[in-house]
Amino acid sequence: MALRRFFGFSDGELMRSDAKPCSRLMRQTAGIFTVGGALGFWVLCRLHYGPRVTVPRSLRWAGCGAVSVSSTTALLVRLFSPEYTELLSEFSHHVQNKARINNGSFGCRPKSVFSAQKKWQLEFLKQSDDFYFNGLKDGILKSRLVIKDLVNADHVDEISIVDNATTATAIVLQSVAWEFLQGKFNKGDAAVTLQYATGAVKKSLEAYIMRADGYVIEVQSPFPVNSV
């Protein structure tokens, strides 16, 4: 991102609706320069060897030109691509030689999430009562509307925002426990979960389901998965 700014390129955030994406334009440029490199080195070969030029020599020079120029342009695509530079910028605060799998609770949050979180914290601290009674409810509704469109829900009432997966699990399991009591589920029915569920989720399943005379099936799903 800093390199793009140094050379005067945009960050790829604002773009005319009729413009080509920068990354697509750079890839097309790389393809053109591959052919151009081959032709350019073929001309240099003829100038260098003169009447001593041969077909094998011409092909070797053209091949070297295509490889060298295409490699250079591919590197430029990687350096200047908005997607790549934006991704690096989002995680620049993370240790560069480490990577963690984010299971929803742990992992490296993007820098944009940190910025948004800080913004809302400051909004709350400015006037907490006003924020809570006049702004929070409308803000949550706007977030739910955005999520509704992302997941293609039929109505915003189908969308709820909770603080983490454990809370969401408890809400669902309370409903399941009532359905056991109401006869919608029968004694001996099972709840199925994967082995990757957190300890809190597994304990919640056991507490609600087994107390209702159901049982829990934990499916072992090895990772990584090998194709047959």
Side-chain angles (χ1 to χ4, degrees), residues 121-222:
Q121 286 175 339
L122 292 175
E123 287 294 324
F124 172 77
L125 293 173
K126 286 178 184 177
Q127 177 52 268
S128 56
D129 291 337
D130 179 69
F131 178 83
Y132 182 83
F133 290 106
N134 299 321
L136 183 60
K137 187 175 181 179
D138 290 339
I140 291 177
L141 177 59
K142 290 178 181 178
S143 298
R144 292 169 62 205
L145 288 170
V146 172
I147 297 171
K148 179 187 79 69
D149 294 336
L150 288 174
V151 301
N152 294 321
D154 293 328
H155 197 275
V156 70
D157 289 341
E158 299 177 13
I159 305 299
S160 297
I161 300 176
V162 295
D163 50 355
N164 55 41
T166 306
T167 302
T169 302
I171 293 172
V172 172
L173 289 176
Q174 284 182 0
S175 175
V176 171
W178 277 107
E179 290 176 344
F180 266 103
L181 292 174
Q182 294 168 355
K184 294 182 180 179
F185 294 127
N186 301 316
K187 292 182 179 181
D189 285 350
V192 181
T193 182
L194 295 176
Q195 69 184 84
Y196 306 114
T198 62
V201 170
K202 291 179 181 179
K203 292 297 183 183
S204 298
L205 281 165
E206 293 174 1
Y208 282 97
I209 303 301
M210 295 179 71
R211 286 177 182 173
D213 293 327
Y215 65 100
V216 178
I217 299 175
E218 184 176 320
V219 178
Q220 302 297 315
S221 178

Side-chain angles (χ1 to χ4, degrees), residues 37-38 41 57-71:
F41 272 63
R57 284 176 175 172
S58 299
L59 293 176
R60 283 198 300 269
W61 276 63
C64 290
V67 171
S68 59
V69 176
S70 63
S71 299

Side-chain angles (χ1 to χ4, degrees), residues 109-121:
R109 284 176 292 173
K111 186 178 293 183
S112 58
V113 174
F114 277 116
S115 300
Q117 186 180 41
K118 183 178 180 180
K119 173 190 171 184
W120 287 110
Q121 286 175 339

